[in-house]
Amino acid sequence: MTNRTFTMIKPDAVENGHIGGILEKITSAGFKIVAMKYTQLSTRDAQAFYAVHSERPFYGELVEFMSRGPIVAAILEKDNAVEDFRALIGATNPAEAAEGTIRKLFATNIAENAVHGSDSDENAAIEGAFHFSGREIY
Ligand code: GDP
């Protein structure tokens, strides 16, 4: 699975009309979409997805934000996918993100930062499996 990563276009970016713009950046950067769905996380889904952050002070806010509206979830394929996608999305805080990155272009602030990108091959596999069954991956 070293050539795959998992992403979500978060509720802020969906609300602000950026699905098309973000997908264009992703595919132009050479990522192939191997699974994709438009869906909404329940509170329980968001709690489970972000369980690793449950001790952080912003966990409640993060769960509320990520479940407040629809998202686009996708599995992406490319050589060196995890690292290259983290470079494409930019720093967590859009104020610190490099020019041309997805978060610099489309994010609102450190909390509502437009996109998720897996931070390791292991998490990419776990997060992809959270959203997609084997027969939804092409
Ligand atoms: P990422 O790997 O760049 O997404 O960043 P982290 O793993 O550190 O944080 C996960 C997500 O939690 C971020 O993408 C933000 O949506 C959210 N987040 C991070 N820092 C803060 C914060 O200080 N306040 C709030 N409300 N949310 C945050």
Side-chain angles (χ1 to χ4, degrees), residues 2 4-5 31 80-87 118-121 124:
T2 56
R4 285 185 177 175
T5 191
F31 291 89
N80 203 35
V82 166
E83 199 179 323
D84 287 2
F85 193 69
R86 296 285 296 190
S118 304
D119 63 4
S120 66
D121 291 338

Side-chain angles (χ1 to χ4, degrees), residues 29-98:
F31 291 89
K32 181 184 170 205
I33 297 166
V34 297
M36 184 162 71
K37 67 173 70 162
Y38 190 51
T39 185
Q40 182 164 355
L41 298 173
S42 66
T43 300
R44 187 178 291 198
D45 291 333
Q47 285 168 337
F49 188 90
Y50 284 107
V52 293
H53 293 313
S54 62
E55 301 305 317
R56 296 174 80 171
F58 57 80
Y59 180 63
E61 260 177 56
L62 176 60
V63 167
E64 195 172 327
F65 161 55
M66 285 302 298
S67 57
R68 82 169 180 221
I71 60 160
V72 175
I75 298 175
L76 307 174
E77 199 167 80
K78 182 184 181 296
D79 289 347
N80 203 35
V82 166
E83 199 179 323
D84 287 2
F85 193 69
R86 296 285 296 190
L88 180 66
I89 68 177
T92 307
N93 185 349
E96 292 163 10

